Amino acid sequence: MSSYHIPVLADRCIELLNINPKGTYVDLTFGGGGHSSLILEKLSKEGRLFAFDQDRDAENNIPDDDRFNFVASNFKYLRGQLRLRGVEQVDGILADLGVATATKAVERLRKVAREKKMQTTEEAREYLKMILAEMLYIDDTALQLRTKPSVVLV
């Protein structure tokens, strides 16, 4: 793995994914492979990890591991890329989005919260999830999920 990427709160992210050793997981932002390497540590030989990155430099960090599948693509093509690989269900998705994405989402949430006069934290939390899903172009219903997947946004 490359040393250029240091995952933020890596152990906590992996804990929140609640990894099933035989499960199928997606790292939407592979980069230096930090989060992916931690996911692979938790997977059994039956588990699978699909890691997305459109940056060609990220390919230098691909581990030699049969459970690992690198997808040289923007994660907005998640559904199609996974279907091409025969994947219709996932157990968890991790995205290390960085400060810029989170800042944009929070700015939109503040605006909407003022306009709609949101009263509870739960209302705000649900709306933030919707904003992030919209920003990421991810359609929850696109994959037939076994259960609600663990989705960790860093």
Side-chain angles (χ1 to χ4, degrees):
M1 296 295 135
S2 168
S3 61
Y4 84 86
H5 178 75
I6 300 170
V8 177
L9 301 169
D11 292 333
R12 181 68 175 139
C13 292
I14 301 309
E15 178 186 330
L16 290 170
L17 275 175
N18 192 24
I19 294 174
N20 168 0
K22 295 180 180 181
T24 299
Y25 292 85
V26 180
D27 181 348
L28 295 179
T29 51
F30 176 65
H35 286 111
S36 285
S37 65
L38 295 172
I39 293 169
L40 287 169
E41 286 177 14
K42 301 280 186 184
L43 292 177
S44 68
K45 63 182 179 181
E46 292 89 14
R48 296 185 297 171
L49 173 61
F50 293 85
F52 283 70
D53 209 303
Q54 62 187 4
D55 181 357
R56 293 294 175 202
D57 289 339
E59 293 182 31
N60 297 324
N61 304 315
I62 296 173
D64 183 18
D65 190 314
D66 292 338
R67 302 167 301 165
F68 183 86
N69 300 274
F70 184 75
V71 182
S73 174
N74 186 299
F75 61 75
K76 71 181 178 183
Y77 302 112
L78 171 70
R79 182 175 93 184
Q81 290 292 340
L82 290 180
R83 283 190 174 164
L84 282 172
R85 291 159 175 80
V87 177
E88 294 187 18
Q89 302 175 9
V90 300
D91 295 291
I93 300 170
L94 182 134
D96 187 346
L97 301 174
V99 176
T101 302
T103 301
K104 288 178 187 174
V106 169
E107 286 170 4
R108 280 185 59 192
L109 178 60
R110 283 186 182 136
K111 180 181 177 190
V112 170
R114 280 191 305 269
E115 290 171 0
K116 294 186 181 252
K117 295 181 175 49
M118 289 183 184
Q119 300 296 314
T120 67
T121 304
E122 188 59 34
E123 276 183 289
R125 184 177 297 126
E126 289 305 310
Y127 201 81
L128 181 59
K129 284 184 196 175
M130 187 177 76
I131 290 170
L132 285 168
E134 180 184 299
M135 289 174 71
L136 299 174
Y137 307 102
I138 295 174
D139 178 0
D140 265 358
T141 62
L143 299 172
Q144 295 174 351
L145 302 168
R146 284 182 215 127
T147 59
K148 254 187 163 176
S150 299
V151 178
V152 178
L153 303 171
V154 183

